[in-house]
Amino acid sequence: MAQILQRVCLTEYLLLKQNLLQRVAVRYGHRLRGRPPGIAKTLNERLKGKSSRFHQFYPVREKALDPELTRPVNIGFPFIKPSRSIQLSERLAHLKTQRNNGELERLSRERKLHVDLEQVRNDWLKTSGPFHIRRLAEHYGVFEHLFGCAYFVPRVELRIQYQAGDLTHPVRYGNVLKPIDTKSAPEVQFDANLNFTGKEAEQKEDSWWCLLLTNPDGHFEDSEKEYCHWFIGNIPNGDISKGEELIPYLQAFPPKGTGYHRHIFVLYKQNDRIDFTPYSRMGGDIYDLSARTFRTIDFYRQHQDHITPAGLAFFQSDWDDSLTAFYHDKLQLQCPVFEYDFPAPYVRDQEWFPLRKPFNLYMDKYRDPATIRKEYLVRKLARTHPFEGPERPLRFPNAHPIDHDLPSWLRTEIKKDRLGWGRINDIK
């Protein structure tokens, strides 16, 4: 009776003192720690509210920039949006023609209908293809590392192919090519008669173009600069063979250990013929890397009133064995090898009573790894006969019982040794 009266009194007290009740947020049966979403501050709000003491120990490297200054700027040709009514009428007429085509329906029903992929690609390039290419270039950081805060939508398709023996390797938008496949200059084709204004021209005038191939990832001395692998200027009417080769072609040569390097083709539309003599490197050593130092953004700023980027294609390349002879014979350099310097693993201080931790693994954290490998090797050699070789492995390791009187950590170690799990593979 006393317990019932005590419980009733406690309930009445909690009802009267409602400020003592605490709201518990639950999501999918799990209790949320702290304040629930919508009430708690977001990560950005929490970081902005940090005290100066936080920034003293964790300084902010990037300064706040004016969004107006970092807003992306389109430096390419504007997109000419076709008439919606004309598109709709053409689409309805096409659908009506296709529905009245009995032969097309029969081939589709019999699964013999062939789709012209070249026509599909051309339609893609005329509609949403350039915008997809722009998104791919943004994904790979092409515009950021070449033009800074500027971008452009490629209006001209670059058809680039490398010929390696009987194989043809096309350059798309981020595909991987090996350096051995890029030894010789590629074949480049593009449509120089593309109409950028949307108005029908009465007379075809001569058009001038320039093509550059740069590598923004491979400069040995300055990470903000690039190597120019190819530069052809004043290309008349899209004929590459008649253009002025200012910087001869140089194959891709990414150093070992640096991963994939981007090699970017950029096609510019010139307003008129331009004197590119200061960029010419035809008279000197074509393998002089210092003479090939280049910056796309500086080049564009100098000629931005006379050129407009119109085409884009790029591939990725990493090290292969063919570059050893290229570095020694052509560049007269030793093969550079880059390795990542991993920081030492963090090991917390020892505890007086380490609970729920395997004894051997816990102790090995504070020992020299060379000593541990030596113990494994000595243990292996002790079971190896000098003439008959090592012991034959068990055919069914799990079928052989392990003494239950042994400690749990030692039983686990014997099981790993039999099955070949863990650190035993370092010396096998």
Side-chain angles (χ1 to χ4, degrees):
M1 189 64 179
Q3 294 181 357
I4 296 176
L5 291 175
Q6 184 179 3
R7 186 179 304 174
V8 172
C9 294
L10 179 61
T11 305
E12 293 179 353
Y13 178 76
L14 292 176
L15 291 175
L16 294 175
K17 300 292 186 178
Q18 296 182 2
N19 56 350
L20 295 178
L21 297 178
Q22 184 178 4
R23 180 183 177 184
V24 178
V26 179
R27 178 189 292 174
Y28 302 118
H30 299 281
R31 177 178 175 180
L32 298 181
R33 298 170 60 183
R35 297 181 179 179
I39 300 178
K41 294 182 179 180
T42 63
L43 180 60
N44 293 331
E45 293 175 350
R46 292 165 60 189
L47 291 177
K48 289 180 181 179
K50 289 291 184 180
S51 61
S52 59
R53 181 178 178 83
F54 174 82
H55 297 286
Q56 179 181 359
F57 293 98
Y58 303 96
V60 180
R61 296 182 179 180
E62 297 182 359
K63 297 182 180 180
L65 300 177
D66 187 356
E68 293 295 331
L69 299 178
T70 58
R71 188 187 300 266
V73 180
N74 186 3
I75 59 177
F77 289 99
F79 174 68
I80 303 171
K81 189 174 182 179
S83 174
R84 180 66 177 173
S85 59
I86 296 177
Q87 279 187 328
L88 185 59
S89 60
E90 291 179 352
R91 187 178 304 171
L92 293 176
H94 178 73
L95 290 175
K96 185 177 180 180
T97 305
Q98 296 295 86
R99 288 173 180 173
N100 295 332
N101 191 343
E103 182 66 17
L104 185 66
E105 188 274 335
R106 184 185 63 83
L107 293 175
S108 177
R109 178 165 33 83
E110 297 176 355
R111 298 184 179 181
K112 297 180 181 180
L113 180 63
H114 296 279
V115 179
D116 189 0
L117 297 181
E118 189 65 26
Q119 181 181 358
V120 173
R121 178 176 177 79
N122 293 334
D123 293 341
W124 173 71
L125 290 172
K126 291 179 181 178
T127 53
S128 60
F131 298 95
H132 292 171
I133 298 173
R134 174 198 165 185
R135 291 177 60 185
L136 285 171
E138 290 177 344
H139 172 75
Y140 284 98
V142 172
F143 298 136
E144 178 185 358
H145 296 153
L146 291 188
F147 300 99
C149 296
Y151 72 93
F152 68 93
V153 180
R155 301 297 180 190
V156 181
E157 180 193 8
L158 280 175
R159 296 182 293 274
I160 305 174
Q161 292 183 343
Y162 281 97
Q163 195 71 28
D166 298 334
L167 300 177
T168 301
H169 303 280
V171 177
R172 301 297 188 187
Y173 311 105
N175 57 317
V176 178
L177 298 179
K178 288 296 184 179
I180 193 173
D181 301 327
T182 63
K183 285 188 174 182
S184 58
E187 298 179 1
V188 182
Q189 297 178 353
F190 61 91
D191 184 11
N193 300 321
L194 187 65
N195 190 0
F196 297 99
T197 61
K199 301 178 181 179
E200 296 183 0
E202 297 180 357
Q203 297 180 355
K204 291 184 178 180
E205 300 179 355
D206 291 340
S207 60
W208 300 94
W209 308 76
C210 63
L211 179 68
L212 282 94
L213 170 61
T214 60
N215 175 12
D217 303 321
H219 203 282
F220 290 145
E221 299 176 357
D222 192 348
S223 60
E224 298 295 329
K225 295 183 179 179
E226 313 154 29
Y227 282 135
C228 183
H229 288 251
W230 204 18
F231 187 1
I232 301 179
N234 297 318
I235 303 172
N237 302 321
D239 191 352
I240 296 290
S241 60
K242 296 182 180 179
E244 298 179 7
E245 189 175 35
L246 304 167
I247 299 179
Y249 178 80
L250 185 66
Q251 73 166 89
F253 55 95
K256 188 175 183 180
T258 56
Y260 291 101
H261 287 214
R262 298 163 296 174
H263 296 75
I264 307 170
F265 291 87
V266 181
L267 179 68
Y268 297 90
K269 175 73 169 59
Q270 302 176 195
N271 297 339
D272 203 349
R273 190 180 182 90
I274 301 176
D275 183 16
F276 291 121
T277 305
Y279 298 96
S280 178
R281 299 292 185 271
M282 295 301 295
D285 184 10
I286 64 174
Y287 299 107
D288 184 9
L289 298 182
S290 60
R292 290 180 176 268
T293 300
F294 189 82
R295 283 198 71 190
T296 300
I297 189 171
D298 294 341
F299 170 78
Y300 176 74
R301 285 173 177 171
Q302 183 177 358
H303 304 281
Q304 61 181 338
D305 296 334
H306 308 285
I307 62 175
T308 305
L312 177 69
F314 58 97
F315 68 92
Q316 301 180 87
S317 183
D318 61 341
W319 166 271
D320 67 1
D321 295 335
S322 66
L323 290 180
T324 303
F326 177 80
Y327 273 97
H328 292 168
D329 302 338
K330 303 298 183 180
L331 299 181
Q332 303 296 323
L333 297 174
Q334 294 183 355
C335 292
V337 179
F338 293 85
E339 295 181 356
Y340 185 78
D341 187 10
F342 291 95
Y346 169 76
V347 180
R348 60 185 299 179
D349 296 337
Q350 294 195 43
E351 303 174 1
W352 282 100
F353 303 102
L355 302 177
R356 302 182 63 85
K357 295 179 182 178
F359 173 76
N360 56 333
L361 299 182
Y362 176 79
M363 297 302 297
D364 289 347
K365 290 181 180 180
Y366 307 96
R367 300 175 60 195
D368 186 8
T371 305
I372 299 175
R373 290 193 295 268
K374 182 179 179 181
E375 289 183 0
Y376 273 95
L377 184 60
V378 170
R379 195 183 310 166
K380 179 181 178 181
L381 294 177
R383 294 179 297 181
T384 303
H385 195 274
F387 302 106
E388 299 178 0
E391 296 179 353
R392 296 181 59 183
L394 300 175
R395 187 176 181 182
F396 303 103
N398 292 331
H400 297 266
I402 301 176
D403 190 0
H404 289 279
D405 295 335
L406 298 176
S408 60
W409 65 267
L410 185 55
R411 294 201 304 270
T412 305
E413 192 70 19
I414 295 174
K415 182 179 179 181
K416 288 183 176 181
D417 190 9
R418 291 179 178 179
L419 298 175
W421 294 351
R423 296 171 296 178
I424 190 66
N425 296 315
D426 297 339
I427 60 172
K428 281 190 175 183

